[in-house]
Amino acid sequence: MAREVLNVGQVRIHGGSVSREDAMKEAADILQAAGAVTGAYFDAMQQREETVSTYMGNELAIPHGTNETKETILDSALSVVRYDGGVDWDGNPVTFVVGIAGKGDEHLEILSQIALVFSDEDEVAKLKQAQTPEELYTLLSTVNAS
């Protein structure tokens, strides 16, 4: 990947909680504002969620579209939103919602970077302690190092 998939403007922290649908909508809206997806990407995320949950464990969900909706992806990018009040993801507790849009096969590389960060409980604890979106971005900026 020649450019960064995540910038500080795509990272947010909320003190409260929201529904799974609202969390997916915010993830899609951030990706759309970044120019990475079309307005139809939220529907694509919902289609994916209907077939298989994007809950990954360790308080993480990674909503994304389906292979059949790849035309809604314009460029590769990430959105990261931390909900300190949590999100009920079909009965699973989620704190981090990482929206992903991968052009071509880039989503595999991006997913690999995210998995490395979130597989380490100490790293997740650091992510939960970040006080600002800037701090959270700094901790996650390794996703751009590929």
Side-chain angles (χ1 to χ4, degrees), residues 9 17 23 39 48 57 60 76 104-105 109 138 146:
S17 63
R48 168 67 72 189
L60 172 68
S76 295
D105 288 332
E109 190 175 337
T138 298
S146 51

PDB file of all heavy atoms in Angstrom, residues 9 17 23 39 48 57 60 76 104-105 109 138 146:
ATOM      1  N   GLY A   9      -8.133  11.723  11.546  1.00  0.00           N
ATOM      2  CA  GLY A   9      -9.512  12.133  11.318  1.00  0.00           C
ATOM      3  C   GLY A   9     -10.482  10.959  11.226  1.00  0.00           C
ATOM      4  O   GLY A   9     -11.701  11.157  11.273  1.00  0.00           O
ATOM      5  N   SER A  17     -22.645   4.394  24.743  1.00  0.00           N
ATOM      6  CA  SER A  17     -22.824   3.193  23.940  1.00  0.00           C
ATOM      7  C   SER A  17     -23.843   3.475  22.842  1.00  0.00           C
ATOM      8  O   SER A  17     -24.593   4.445  22.914  1.00  0.00           O
ATOM      9  CB  SER A  17     -23.299   2.029  24.815  1.00  0.00           C
ATOM     10  OG  SER A  17     -24.570   2.325  25.362  1.00  0.00           O
ATOM     11  N   ALA A  23     -23.333   1.802  15.267  1.00  0.00           N
ATOM     12  CA  ALA A  23     -21.875   1.692  15.209  1.00  0.00           C
ATOM     13  C   ALA A  23     -21.409   1.395  13.780  1.00  0.00           C
ATOM     14  O   ALA A  23     -20.431   1.977  13.295  1.00  0.00           O
ATOM     15  CB  ALA A  23     -21.394   0.598  16.167  1.00  0.00           C
ATOM     16  N   GLY A  39     -21.889   5.697  -0.705  1.00  0.00           N
ATOM     17  CA  GLY A  39     -22.950   5.679   0.288  1.00  0.00           C
ATOM     18  C   GLY A  39     -23.609   4.323   0.439  1.00  0.00           C
ATOM     19  O   GLY A  39     -24.308   4.080   1.421  1.00  0.00           O
ATOM     20  N   ARG A  48     -23.215  -8.251   4.975  1.00  0.00           N
ATOM     21  CA  ARG A  48     -22.196  -9.136   5.559  1.00  0.00           C
ATOM     22  C   ARG A  48     -22.643  -9.619   6.932  1.00  0.00           C
ATOM     23  O   ARG A  48     -22.541 -10.802   7.259  1.00  0.00           O
ATOM     24  CB  ARG A  48     -20.857  -8.398   5.651  1.00  0.00           C
ATOM     25  CG  ARG A  48     -19.800  -9.089   6.499  1.00  0.00           C
ATOM     26  CD  ARG A  48     -19.317 -10.382   5.929  1.00  0.00           C
ATOM     27  NE  ARG A  48     -18.486 -10.094   4.772  1.00  0.00           N
ATOM     28  CZ  ARG A  48     -18.050 -11.010   3.944  1.00  0.00           C
ATOM     29  NH1 ARG A  48     -18.341 -12.269   4.154  1.00  0.00           N
ATOM     30  NH2 ARG A  48     -17.328 -10.688   2.904  1.00  0.00           N
ATOM     31  N   GLY A  57     -13.919 -11.061  18.721  1.00  0.00           N
ATOM     32  CA  GLY A  57     -13.410 -11.398  20.046  1.00  0.00           C
ATOM     33  C   GLY A  57     -12.540 -10.276  20.568  1.00  0.00           C
ATOM     34  O   GLY A  57     -12.210  -9.336  19.831  1.00  0.00           O
ATOM     35  N   LEU A  60     -13.589  -6.577  19.949  1.00  0.00           N
ATOM     36  CA  LEU A  60     -13.392  -6.011  18.614  1.00  0.00           C
ATOM     37  C   LEU A  60     -14.414  -6.541  17.611  1.00  0.00           C
ATOM     38  O   LEU A  60     -14.677  -7.738  17.555  1.00  0.00           O
ATOM     39  CB  LEU A  60     -11.983  -6.376  18.114  1.00  0.00           C
ATOM     40  CG  LEU A  60     -11.645  -6.039  16.663  1.00  0.00           C
ATOM     41  CD1 LEU A  60     -11.574  -4.522  16.479  1.00  0.00           C
ATOM     42  CD2 LEU A  60     -10.318  -6.698  16.283  1.00  0.00           C
ATOM     43  N   SER A  76      -8.687   1.887  -0.274  1.00  0.00           N
ATOM     44  CA  SER A  76      -8.495   1.186   0.997  1.00  0.00           C
ATOM     45  C   SER A  76      -8.403   2.188   2.140  1.00  0.00           C
ATOM     46  O   SER A  76      -7.708   3.207   2.027  1.00  0.00           O
ATOM     47  CB  SER A  76      -7.213   0.343   0.952  1.00  0.00           C
ATOM     48  OG  SER A  76      -7.338  -0.677  -0.010  1.00  0.00           O
ATOM     49  N   GLY A 104      -9.286  -4.210  -3.965  1.00  0.00           N
ATOM     50  CA  GLY A 104      -8.626  -5.435  -4.426  1.00  0.00           C
ATOM     51  C   GLY A 104      -8.471  -6.393  -3.256  1.00  0.00           C
ATOM     52  O   GLY A 104      -9.428  -6.640  -2.528  1.00  0.00           O
ATOM     53  N   ASP A 105      -7.258  -6.903  -3.059  1.00  0.00           N
ATOM     54  CA  ASP A 105      -6.995  -7.825  -1.956  1.00  0.00           C
ATOM     55  C   ASP A 105      -6.313  -7.140  -0.773  1.00  0.00           C
ATOM     56  O   ASP A 105      -5.811  -7.806   0.133  1.00  0.00           O
ATOM     57  CB  ASP A 105      -6.129  -8.987  -2.438  1.00  0.00           C
ATOM     58  CG  ASP A 105      -6.913  -9.931  -3.330  1.00  0.00           C
ATOM     59  OD1 ASP A 105      -8.156 -10.015  -3.163  1.00  0.00           O
ATOM     60  OD2 ASP A 105      -6.288 -10.569  -4.202  1.00  0.00           O
ATOM     61  N   GLU A 109      -4.185  -7.715   3.940  1.00  0.00           N
ATOM     62  CA  GLU A 109      -3.011  -7.135   4.590  1.00  0.00           C
ATOM     63  C   GLU A 109      -3.431  -6.242   5.757  1.00  0.00           C
ATOM     64  O   GLU A 109      -2.826  -6.264   6.827  1.00  0.00           O
ATOM     65  CB  GLU A 109      -2.223  -6.326   3.551  1.00  0.00           C
ATOM     66  CG  GLU A 109      -0.872  -5.872   4.035  1.00  0.00           C
ATOM     67  CD  GLU A 109      -0.093  -5.193   2.924  1.00  0.00           C
ATOM     68  OE1 GLU A 109      -0.373  -5.439   1.729  1.00  0.00           O
ATOM     69  OE2 GLU A 109       0.773  -4.389   3.258  1.00  0.00           O
ATOM     70  N   THR A 138      -2.050   7.218  17.383  1.00  0.00           N
ATOM     71  CA  THR A 138      -0.614   6.934  17.511  1.00  0.00           C
ATOM     72  C   THR A 138      -0.381   5.459  17.833  1.00  0.00           C
ATOM     73  O   THR A 138       0.510   4.822  17.269  1.00  0.00           O
ATOM     74  CB  THR A 138       0.002   7.826  18.602  1.00  0.00           C
ATOM     75  OG1 THR A 138      -0.158   9.199  18.205  1.00  0.00           O
ATOM     76  CG2 THR A 138       1.477   7.523  18.799  1.00  0.00           C
ATOM     77  N   SER A 146       2.963  -0.848   6.185  1.00  0.00           N
ATOM     78  CA  SER A 146       3.053  -2.035   5.323  1.00  0.00           C
ATOM     79  C   SER A 146       3.272  -1.613   3.898  1.00  0.00           C
ATOM     80  O   SER A 146       3.250  -0.475   3.563  1.00  0.00           O
ATOM     81  CB  SER A 146       1.796  -2.885   5.437  1.00  0.00           C
ATOM     82  OG  SER A 146       0.634  -2.135   5.248  1.00  0.00           O
TER      83      SER A 146
END
